Structures are given as structure tokens and as C-alpha cells.
Amino acid sequence: MPVKVYFDLLSQPSRAVLIFLKVNKIQHVECPVALTKGEHFTEEYAKINPMKKAPAIDDDGFKLTESVSIMKYLSIKYAVPSHWYPSNVERRARVDEYLDWHQYNTRPFGAMLFQHQLLIPWMKGHDPDPKKVDHFKHQMVKVLDTMEAVFLNNQNFLAGDEMSIADLAAACELTQPAIAGFDLFSQRPKLRAWMDRVLSQTNPHFDEAHSEARKWREELAPKYPIAGSSKL
């Protein structure tokens, strides 16, 4: 029975799960949940995800939330290529190491920069708060410094020389500040080369999953410009 996946393409963790399913040719049924319309707050959806967030999956009655947990589960259940979530304990620990750091660094600071630069001004009809934007820009600089110096270092991907779910989670997350106009790559050739490797292994699915996000960028970013830009 195909996996039912509940997602919204404006959600970066949703995009990661959907891309993972498609790249690995796991049979699935797409069940869109429009977050901007509040569809995640319905009683019906609460039966799928009591936390009322996206993404979530229903695998023949087994319901699971949280994108990282979902990708780990799918990696093991559907015997995808081992590089995604290695069975070797040390290599798997490196993947988990980045993902744990990601939840407290890449994810929150990228999301907050996006929200304060683009989403909140759009929703409330006012200019971005420059102090808050500058704060999260500074935090994102530190995030990118650490990604390059500690996780990428002299290897091709964040947890080694093969792509893993860590890279997919990170790449989807970094699109969020990029949508808001934050410059990810102009002074960071190592990060740019890493992103190019991720894209080469996940396209056309990566670009397809980010089509809605790119529309947001085209429509809203010019109204709330930020110094620099990043082409994904």
C-alpha cells in the first residue's frame, strides 16, 4: 500500500520528505495540506498529526510526524540506498550529529530570518523590523560558517563523502532565507559547490518541490529587499 504523505510545499521539512520519497521511488499518495488556509487545524487532520503540523505520513495505518523521524523511518523500512542513513554506526552518528545541530541552528535561524524579512511584513502590511532582521542575519552567518568549517570541512557532504538525509534537510532549510533574499553563496564557494552536488543528486524533484517557494520569492522579495541575493 502506498505511503500517504501530508505536506505543504511552503514548508521546508515537507519539501525534504516529498523529495526523499520521489528520489527513492517509494510509492506514495500526495495529500496536500494548505497551511495558509489553516487546514492543519482541522479535527480530521489532527487524527493524522495531533501536533497539527506538516509533514506527516500514514504508512498502512502507522502514522508518523516530524520530518527527520519520517526520513529515518523510510530509509530503514524501504531499504533505500544506505548512504541516506548509513547502517555503519559511526557514519550514522555523523548524520545524526548534524541533524541534532540543525534543529537548533540552521532550522530556527533560517526560518526566523524568512519570517521577519518577508512573511510577517507581508501578513501585517508593514516594513521589516531592521533590528530583528539584522539579528537573524548575524545568526545565519554563524550557521553558514559552522556548516563550512565543521560539517563540510574537506568532504563533499555534511556527514561524509556521500549524500545523506542531513544534506537534504539542510538544503531545503537554506532555501527559506534565500527566498527572503539572504545571500548564501557569493562569498562561499564551498557551500555553493555542496549545494550543486545536492541538486545534481535530487533534481528534477528538488526544483519541482521548490516551485511554490520560488513564486513567493518572485512576488514578495522585491517588495521587501534585503542586501544580496542567492540563486538556487
Side-chain angles (χ1 to χ4, degrees), residues 31-73:
C31 305
V33 179
L35 301 181
T36 57
K37 296 180 181 179
E39 292 180 0
H40 53 309
F41 292 125
T42 64
E43 291 184 12
E44 182 180 358
Y45 186 67
K47 296 175 183 177
I48 304 298
N49 186 347
M51 274 72 78
K52 301 180 180 180
K53 295 182 179 181
I57 63 168
D58 181 344
D59 187 12
D60 196 19
F62 177 70
K63 300 179 179 68
L64 189 63
T65 69
E66 300 298 329
S67 60
V68 170
S69 295
I70 290 170
M71 288 191 288
K72 290 179 179 180
Y73 167 80

Tab-separated table of all heavy atoms in Angstrom, residues 31-73:
chain	number	residue	atom	x	y	z
A	31	CYS	N	-0.978	14.076	-0.287
A	31	CYS	CA	-2.150	14.635	0.379
A	31	CYS	C	-1.807	16.058	0.834
A	31	CYS	O	-1.344	16.264	1.970
A	31	CYS	CB	-2.549	13.788	1.586
A	31	CYS	SG	-2.836	12.037	1.219
A	32	PRO	N	-1.991	17.046	-0.041
A	32	PRO	CA	-1.621	18.423	0.313
A	32	PRO	C	-2.443	18.952	1.480
A	32	PRO	O	-3.636	18.660	1.619
A	32	PRO	CB	-1.916	19.210	-0.971
A	32	PRO	CG	-1.966	18.186	-2.054
A	32	PRO	CD	-2.496	16.938	-1.412
A	33	VAL	N	-1.775	19.735	2.313
A	33	VAL	CA	-2.406	20.396	3.455
A	33	VAL	C	-2.041	21.873	3.361
A	33	VAL	O	-0.873	22.242	3.501
A	33	VAL	CB	-1.907	19.816	4.797
A	33	VAL	CG1	-2.569	20.537	5.965
A	33	VAL	CG2	-2.176	18.322	4.874
A	34	ALA	N	-3.019	22.723	3.105
A	34	ALA	CA	-2.749	24.151	2.897
A	34	ALA	C	-2.612	24.856	4.249
A	34	ALA	O	-3.612	25.173	4.904
A	34	ALA	CB	-3.854	24.784	2.074
A	35	LEU	N	-1.380	25.090	4.654
A	35	LEU	CA	-1.143	25.731	5.945
A	35	LEU	C	-1.694	27.150	5.980
A	35	LEU	O	-2.202	27.608	7.018
A	35	LEU	CB	0.363	25.742	6.245
A	35	LEU	CG	1.060	24.382	6.311
A	35	LEU	CD1	2.535	24.552	6.643
A	35	LEU	CD2	0.395	23.463	7.335
A	36	THR	N	-1.583	27.872	4.873
A	36	THR	CA	-2.059	29.260	4.848
A	36	THR	C	-3.576	29.354	4.969
A	36	THR	O	-4.115	30.411	5.295
A	36	THR	CB	-1.612	29.972	3.562
A	36	THR	OG1	-2.079	29.237	2.422
A	36	THR	CG2	-0.094	30.097	3.505
A	37	LYS	N	-4.267	28.229	4.713
A	37	LYS	CA	-5.725	28.197	4.863
A	37	LYS	C	-6.142	27.562	6.184
A	37	LYS	O	-7.341	27.398	6.446
A	37	LYS	CB	-6.355	27.421	3.700
A	37	LYS	CG	-6.148	28.082	2.344
A	37	LYS	CD	-6.805	27.261	1.246
A	37	LYS	CE	-6.593	27.900	-0.129
A	37	LYS	NZ	-7.211	27.100	-1.217
A	38	GLY	N	-5.162	27.169	6.989
A	38	GLY	CA	-5.472	26.590	8.292
A	38	GLY	C	-5.963	25.158	8.243
A	38	GLY	O	-6.568	24.680	9.223
A	39	GLU	N	-5.704	24.446	7.134
A	39	GLU	CA	-6.203	23.075	7.021
A	39	GLU	C	-5.552	22.133	8.026
A	39	GLU	O	-6.103	21.062	8.310
A	39	GLU	CB	-5.987	22.569	5.596
A	39	GLU	CG	-6.855	23.277	4.571
A	39	GLU	CD	-6.644	22.785	3.144
A	39	GLU	OE1	-5.805	21.883	2.948
A	39	GLU	OE2	-7.327	23.297	2.244
A	40	HIS	N	-4.402	22.524	8.571
A	40	HIS	CA	-3.728	21.677	9.562
A	40	HIS	C	-4.387	21.768	10.933
A	40	HIS	O	-4.034	21.006	11.833
A	40	HIS	CB	-2.246	22.047	9.667
A	40	HIS	CG	-1.973	23.494	9.905
A	40	HIS	ND1	-2.518	24.508	9.157
A	40	HIS	CD2	-1.177	24.107	10.829
A	40	HIS	CE1	-2.086	25.671	9.587
A	40	HIS	NE2	-1.290	25.458	10.598
A	41	PHE	N	-5.331	22.696	11.093
A	41	PHE	CA	-6.010	22.838	12.383
A	41	PHE	C	-7.340	22.095	12.442
A	41	PHE	O	-8.041	22.163	13.451
A	41	PHE	CB	-6.247	24.324	12.697
A	41	PHE	CG	-4.979	25.093	12.958
A	41	PHE	CD1	-4.690	26.238	12.229
A	41	PHE	CD2	-4.078	24.674	13.925
A	41	PHE	CE1	-3.521	26.955	12.460
A	41	PHE	CE2	-2.907	25.384	14.169
A	41	PHE	CZ	-2.620	26.526	13.430
A	42	THR	N	-7.703	21.397	11.393
A	42	THR	CA	-8.979	20.702	11.380
A	42	THR	C	-8.931	19.454	12.262
A	42	THR	O	-7.865	18.879	12.504
A	42	THR	CB	-9.372	20.281	9.950
A	42	THR	OG1	-8.407	19.327	9.467
A	42	THR	CG2	-9.390	21.495	9.018
A	43	GLU	N	-10.109	19.042	12.715
A	43	GLU	CA	-10.193	17.829	13.532
A	43	GLU	C	-9.766	16.601	12.726
A	43	GLU	O	-9.144	15.682	13.264
A	43	GLU	CB	-11.621	17.650	14.041
A	43	GLU	CG	-12.049	18.687	15.074
A	43	GLU	CD	-13.435	18.405	15.625
A	43	GLU	OE1	-13.960	17.297	15.376
A	43	GLU	OE2	-13.987	19.293	16.294
A	44	GLU	N	-10.086	16.607	11.451
A	44	GLU	CA	-9.719	15.480	10.584
A	44	GLU	C	-8.204	15.334	10.505
A	44	GLU	O	-7.667	14.226	10.615
A	44	GLU	CB	-10.307	15.677	9.192
A	44	GLU	CG	-10.014	14.531	8.235
A	44	GLU	CD	-10.613	14.764	6.865
A	44	GLU	OE1	-11.278	15.797	6.670
A	44	GLU	OE2	-10.402	13.905	5.982
A	45	TYR	N	-7.501	16.462	10.325
A	45	TYR	CA	-6.043	16.378	10.216
A	45	TYR	C	-5.403	16.048	11.557
A	45	TYR	O	-4.348	15.396	11.612
A	45	TYR	CB	-5.456	17.680	9.666
A	45	TYR	CG	-3.970	17.568	9.408
A	45	TYR	CD1	-3.483	16.735	8.412
A	45	TYR	CD2	-3.045	18.261	10.185
A	45	TYR	CE1	-2.126	16.588	8.179
A	45	TYR	CE2	-1.681	18.131	9.964
A	45	TYR	CZ	-1.227	17.298	8.959
A	45	TYR	OH	0.124	17.145	8.739
A	46	ALA	N	-6.026	16.465	12.656
A	46	ALA	CA	-5.482	16.151	13.982
A	46	ALA	C	-5.416	14.642	14.215
A	46	ALA	O	-4.599	14.172	15.008
A	46	ALA	CB	-6.325	16.816	15.064
A	47	LYS	N	-6.249	13.875	13.504
A	47	LYS	CA	-6.189	12.417	13.616
A	47	LYS	C	-4.926	11.868	12.947
A	47	LYS	O	-4.461	10.779	13.294
A	47	LYS	CB	-7.430	11.796	12.973
A	47	LYS	CG	-8.734	12.165	13.666
A	47	LYS	CD	-9.937	11.621	12.906
A	47	LYS	CE	-11.239	12.057	13.547
A	47	LYS	NZ	-12.418	11.586	12.773
A	48	ILE	N	-4.392	12.616	11.991
A	48	ILE	CA	-3.145	12.234	11.324
A	48	ILE	C	-1.954	12.730	12.125
A	48	ILE	O	-1.000	11.992	12.392
A	48	ILE	CB	-3.091	12.804	9.895
A	48	ILE	CG1	-4.308	12.351	9.075
A	48	ILE	CG2	-1.782	12.431	9.201
A	48	ILE	CD1	-4.396	10.866	8.890
A	49	ASN	N	-2.001	14.009	12.508
A	49	ASN	CA	-0.916	14.630	13.265
A	49	ASN	C	-1.497	15.437	14.411
A	49	ASN	O	-1.970	16.564	14.210
A	49	ASN	CB	-0.077	15.528	12.354
A	49	ASN	CG	1.147	16.079	13.057
A	49	ASN	OD1	1.274	15.999	14.275
A	49	ASN	ND2	2.061	16.654	12.293
A	50	PRO	N	-1.481	14.901	15.626
A	50	PRO	CA	-2.051	15.615	16.769
A	50	PRO	C	-1.376	16.954	17.043
A	50	PRO	O	-1.970	17.838	17.657
A	50	PRO	CB	-1.818	14.643	17.941
A	50	PRO	CG	-1.654	13.310	17.297
A	50	PRO	CD	-0.989	13.563	15.989
A	51	MET	N	-0.110	17.137	16.562
A	51	MET	CA	0.579	18.411	16.735
A	51	MET	C	0.119	19.438	15.710
A	51	MET	O	0.490	20.610	15.779
A	51	MET	CB	2.089	18.219	16.616
A	51	MET	CG	2.755	17.832	17.925
A	51	MET	SD	2.392	16.135	18.459
A	51	MET	CE	3.476	15.195	17.400
A	52	LYS	N	-0.665	18.987	14.731
A	52	LYS	CA	-1.259	19.869	13.718
A	52	LYS	C	-0.207	20.644	12.935
A	52	LYS	O	-0.329	21.853	12.702
A	52	LYS	CB	-2.271	20.815	14.370
A	52	LYS	CG	-3.404	20.083	15.078
A	52	LYS	CD	-4.393	21.026	15.709
A	52	LYS	CE	-5.512	20.246	16.413
A	52	LYS	NZ	-6.501	21.144	17.057
A	53	LYS	N	0.826	19.911	12.501
A	53	LYS	CA	1.877	20.486	11.676
A	53	LYS	C	2.112	19.588	10.474
A	53	LYS	O	1.611	18.470	10.400
A	53	LYS	CB	3.166	20.648	12.493
A	53	LYS	CG	3.059	21.648	13.635
A	53	LYS	CD	4.388	21.786	14.369
A	53	LYS	CE	4.288	22.804	15.495
A	53	LYS	NZ	5.583	22.969	16.197
A	54	ALA	N	2.882	20.088	9.530
A	54	ALA	CA	3.267	19.291	8.362
A	54	ALA	C	4.786	19.232	8.306
A	54	ALA	O	5.453	20.184	8.704
A	54	ALA	CB	2.704	19.921	7.085
A	55	PRO	N	5.303	18.068	7.850
A	55	PRO	CA	4.635	16.945	7.215
A	55	PRO	C	4.218	15.869	8.212
A	55	PRO	O	4.556	15.926	9.403
A	55	PRO	CB	5.730	16.405	6.293
A	55	PRO	CG	6.990	16.610	7.106
A	55	PRO	CD	6.785	17.941	7.777
A	56	ALA	N	3.522	14.886	7.645
A	56	ALA	CA	3.192	13.664	8.373
A	56	ALA	C	2.991	12.566	7.329
A	56	ALA	O	2.771	12.859	6.159
A	56	ALA	CB	1.925	13.850	9.202
A	57	ILE	N	3.084	11.315	7.775
A	57	ILE	CA	2.807	10.196	6.873
A	57	ILE	C	1.866	9.216	7.550
A	57	ILE	O	1.765	9.161	8.780
A	57	ILE	CB	4.085	9.453	6.418
A	57	ILE	CG1	4.802	8.812	7.619
A	57	ILE	CG2	5.000	10.374	5.634
A	57	ILE	CD1	5.904	7.826	7.217
A	58	ASP	N	1.195	8.453	6.704
A	58	ASP	CA	0.377	7.325	7.147
A	58	ASP	C	0.801	6.141	6.285
A	58	ASP	O	0.502	6.086	5.090
A	58	ASP	CB	-1.107	7.638	6.960
A	58	ASP	CG	-2.025	6.513	7.431
A	58	ASP	OD1	-1.530	5.371	7.618
A	58	ASP	OD2	-3.228	6.748	7.601
A	59	ASP	N	1.512	5.215	6.890
A	59	ASP	CA	2.035	4.052	6.175
A	59	ASP	C	1.233	2.827	6.594
A	59	ASP	O	1.561	2.153	7.569
A	59	ASP	CB	3.523	3.865	6.488
A	59	ASP	CG	4.161	2.770	5.636
A	59	ASP	OD1	3.517	2.326	4.669
A	59	ASP	OD2	5.302	2.368	5.935
A	60	ASP	N	0.147	2.584	5.862
A	60	ASP	CA	-0.725	1.437	6.140
A	60	ASP	C	-1.194	1.436	7.589
A	60	ASP	O	-1.174	0.406	8.271
A	60	ASP	CB	-0.004	0.129	5.804
A	60	ASP	CG	-0.961	-1.038	5.691
A	60	ASP	OD1	-2.175	-0.814	5.512
A	60	ASP	OD2	-0.494	-2.195	5.797
A	61	GLY	N	-1.588	2.615	8.066
A	61	GLY	CA	-2.108	2.753	9.422
A	61	GLY	C	-1.098	3.214	10.449
A	61	GLY	O	-1.476	3.614	11.558
A	62	PHE	N	0.181	3.151	10.106
A	62	PHE	CA	1.219	3.657	11.015
A	62	PHE	C	1.446	5.127	10.710
A	62	PHE	O	1.948	5.484	9.647
A	62	PHE	CB	2.518	2.874	10.848
A	62	PHE	CG	3.649	3.400	11.697
A	62	PHE	CD1	3.628	3.248	13.074
A	62	PHE	CD2	4.728	4.065	11.109
A	62	PHE	CE1	4.663	3.734	13.866
A	62	PHE	CE2	5.760	4.550	11.892
A	62	PHE	CZ	5.731	4.387	13.267
A	63	LYS	N	1.052	5.991	11.637
A	63	LYS	CA	1.153	7.433	11.436
A	63	LYS	C	2.414	7.964	12.129
A	63	LYS	O	2.718	7.577	13.263
A	63	LYS	CB	-0.089	8.142	11.974
A	63	LYS	CG	-1.385	7.691	11.290
A	63	LYS	CD	-2.585	8.395	11.881
A	63	LYS	CE	-3.876	7.980	11.185
A	63	LYS	NZ	-4.222	6.563	11.454
A	64	LEU	N	3.112	8.834	11.424
A	64	LEU	CA	4.371	9.358	11.951
A	64	LEU	C	4.499	10.827	11.585
A	64	LEU	O	4.162	11.240	10.469
A	64	LEU	CB	5.551	8.574	11.372
A	64	LEU	CG	6.937	8.854	11.969
A	64	LEU	CD1	6.987	8.461	13.449
A	64	LEU	CD2	8.007	8.103	11.188
A	65	THR	N	5.001	11.608	12.545
A	65	THR	CA	5.226	13.032	12.344
A	65	THR	C	6.714	13.334	12.485
A	65	THR	O	7.502	12.447	12.823
A	65	THR	CB	4.435	13.860	13.377
A	65	THR	OG1	4.998	13.652	14.684
A	65	THR	CG2	2.967	13.447	13.411
A	66	GLU	N	7.077	14.583	12.219
A	66	GLU	CA	8.450	15.092	12.284
A	66	GLU	C	9.282	14.586	11.103
A	66	GLU	O	9.506	13.382	10.942
A	66	GLU	CB	9.133	14.740	13.612
A	66	GLU	CG	8.429	15.304	14.836
A	66	GLU	CD	8.380	16.829	14.834
A	66	GLU	OE1	9.315	17.466	14.295
A	66	GLU	OE2	7.394	17.384	15.368
A	67	SER	N	9.756	15.522	10.299
A	67	SER	CA	10.401	15.183	9.028
A	67	SER	C	11.631	14.299	9.187
A	67	SER	O	11.840	13.364	8.401
A	67	SER	CB	10.784	16.462	8.278
A	67	SER	OG	11.691	17.251	9.044
A	68	VAL	N	12.464	14.568	10.181
A	68	VAL	CA	13.675	13.759	10.369
A	68	VAL	C	13.306	12.334	10.743
A	68	VAL	O	13.858	11.368	10.196
A	68	VAL	CB	14.594	14.395	11.429
A	68	VAL	CG1	15.722	13.440	11.806
A	68	VAL	CG2	15.175	15.711	10.906
A	69	SER	N	12.369	12.180	11.659
A	69	SER	CA	11.918	10.836	12.029
A	69	SER	C	11.313	10.114	10.832
A	69	SER	O	11.521	8.907	10.647
A	69	SER	CB	10.890	10.916	13.163
A	69	SER	OG	11.471	11.427	14.337
A	70	ILE	N	10.577	10.849	10.016
A	70	ILE	CA	9.960	10.241	8.835
A	70	ILE	C	11.027	9.744	7.865
A	70	ILE	O	10.961	8.603	7.372
A	70	ILE	CB	9.029	11.260	8.147
A	70	ILE	CG1	7.798	11.520	9.013
A	70	ILE	CG2	8.614	10.752	6.754
A	70	ILE	CD1	6.942	12.690	8.537
A	71	MET	N	12.044	10.566	7.592
A	71	MET	CA	13.081	10.147	6.640
A	71	MET	C	13.912	8.992	7.180
A	71	MET	O	14.312	8.096	6.419
A	71	MET	CB	13.961	11.335	6.265
A	71	MET	CG	13.251	12.343	5.374
A	71	MET	SD	14.349	13.599	4.664
A	71	MET	CE	14.710	14.596	6.105
A	72	LYS	N	14.157	8.957	8.470
A	72	LYS	CA	14.869	7.818	9.062
A	72	LYS	C	14.026	6.541	8.924
A	72	LYS	O	14.533	5.478	8.545
A	72	LYS	CB	15.183	8.090	10.531
A	72	LYS	CG	16.246	9.150	10.776
A	72	LYS	CD	16.476	9.357	12.270
A	72	LYS	CE	17.539	10.391	12.542
A	72	LYS	NZ	17.771	10.597	13.995
A	73	TYR	N	12.751	6.656	9.251
A	73	TYR	CA	11.844	5.510	9.154
A	73	TYR	C	11.779	4.975	7.731
A	73	TYR	O	11.898	3.758	7.492
A	73	TYR	CB	10.453	5.935	9.638
A	73	TYR	CG	9.355	4.954	9.307
A	73	TYR	CD1	9.153	3.813	10.073
A	73	TYR	CD2	8.519	5.177	8.215
A	73	TYR	CE1	8.140	2.908	9.766
A	73	TYR	CE2	7.499	4.290	7.904
A	73	TYR	CZ	7.311	3.148	8.680
A	73	TYR	OH	6.318	2.260	8.375
